[in-house]
Amino acid sequence: VQTCALPISMLMLAALLPARDFLSAEEIDQIRAAQEPNLRVQLYLKFAQSRIAQLEQLLSKERAGRTALAHDLLEDYTKIIEALDTVGDDALRRKVDLSKGMALVIPGEKALLAKLEKIEDSEPSDLARYEFMLKDAINATEDSIDLSGDLTGRAQDIAAKDQKDEEKRKEGLTPEDAKREAAEKSKQQDKQAKKPPTLRRPGEVAPAKGK
């Protein structure tokens, strides 16, 4: 009996293809080098500004193939804004002061939002083909501006969400896992309690005796 392979749907084919990076190799290197959160959010803002500048230039005149490029630029832009927000959330969890970075991010994102809305209002001839991505980019920018404008409330929301997630995680533990986790936590606390106090900074080595 002969069997024939079923055709793979476009959705399945897309799932099999490797995901396209939303940052260039050079941009990834810059992000890796910028460990400080305030510097990272500024870099992501710079990359977002670059994508919108490319989009504006692309849409400045009719040309073949611009629809796909516009779609990709908007998709990359949205992912960059989301990455910026993730950096902010992680920094607030660690109680890092983000005021310096956000002082630049907030007006920068407002300017980007105005440019996106201007593109939407201009109604390009091929807008229907990337309108969903444009609206997604606008929504992501609006949400990011709201988050960046109230860092205190944002930190409180993150703490509340993390606590809720932790409680949910504990509810899913088996009695054995919960007992093992409690024992490990108690062990770590005892270890910290027995550690002698020191005024030396982390990583600072005690001077040799006699010096």
Side-chain angles (χ1 to χ4, degrees):
V1 178
Q2 291 184 340
T3 59
C4 59
L6 294 174
I8 301 177
S9 68
M10 292 300 294
L11 184 61
M12 293 174 62
L13 182 60
L16 294 173
L17 294 175
R20 182 175 58 82
D21 288 331
F22 63 93
L23 295 178
S24 68
E26 181 180 353
E27 289 170 339
I28 291 173
D29 289 340
Q30 291 181 53
I31 288 295
R32 287 172 177 166
Q35 293 296 318
E36 209 282 317
N38 284 282
L39 295 178
R40 278 200 171 187
V41 295
Q42 292 177 56
L43 273 177
Y44 277 122
L45 174 63
K46 175 185 172 183
F47 302 154
Q49 291 168 335
S50 174
R51 297 305 187 279
I52 297 305
Q54 294 176 58
L55 181 64
E56 288 178 321
Q57 182 178 10
L58 180 68
L59 299 179
S60 63
K61 61 179 180 179
E62 299 283 347
R63 68 189 73 187
R66 79 171 190 177
T67 298
L69 291 174
H71 180 281
D72 288 350
L73 284 169
L74 287 165
E75 182 179 27
D76 290 351
Y77 168 86
T78 300
K79 289 180 179 179
I80 289 170
I81 295 297
E82 290 172 348
L84 188 158
D85 291 339
T86 298
V87 171
D89 288 349
D90 290 342
L92 291 173
R93 282 190 178 93
R94 295 184 285 115
K95 303 187 185 306
V96 175
D97 183 5
L98 278 176
S99 57
K100 183 178 179 180
M102 290 307 165
L104 297 173
V105 167
I106 294 173
E109 288 188 329
K110 287 181 178 179
L112 290 171
L113 178 60
K115 291 183 177 184
L116 288 167
E117 291 174 337
K118 183 178 179 180
I119 291 173
E120 184 178 40
D121 292 340
S122 69
E123 298 184 348
S125 59
D126 54 351
L127 176 61
R129 299 182 181 180
Y130 50 83
E131 185 174 14
F132 176 81
M133 294 306 303
L134 178 58
K135 289 185 180 297
D136 203 25
I138 290 173
N139 291 336
T141 309
E142 290 174 337
D143 291 344
S144 186
I145 292 171
D146 289 341
L147 288 173
S148 302
D150 182 14
L151 294 180
T152 300
R154 180 177 177 182
Q156 293 172 348
D157 290 343
I158 291 171
K161 179 181 180 301
D162 289 348
Q163 182 178 356
K164 186 176 181 179
D165 290 344
E166 177 63 11
E167 291 173 353
K168 187 175 181 180
R169 184 191 68 82
K170 287 183 177 180
E171 290 175 359
L173 292 176
T174 64
E176 292 79 9
D177 289 337
K179 185 177 180 179
R180 189 181 302 110
E181 188 174 281
E184 182 63 27
K185 184 177 181 180
S186 178
K187 183 179 178 181
Q188 291 296 329
Q189 290 175 341
D190 290 343
K191 187 177 179 180
Q192 288 295 325
K194 292 177 182 178
K195 190 175 180 180
T198 177
L199 296 177
R200 290 192 295 273
R201 297 184 180 89
E204 186 177 354
V205 181
K209 292 183 179 180
K211 292 187 178 181

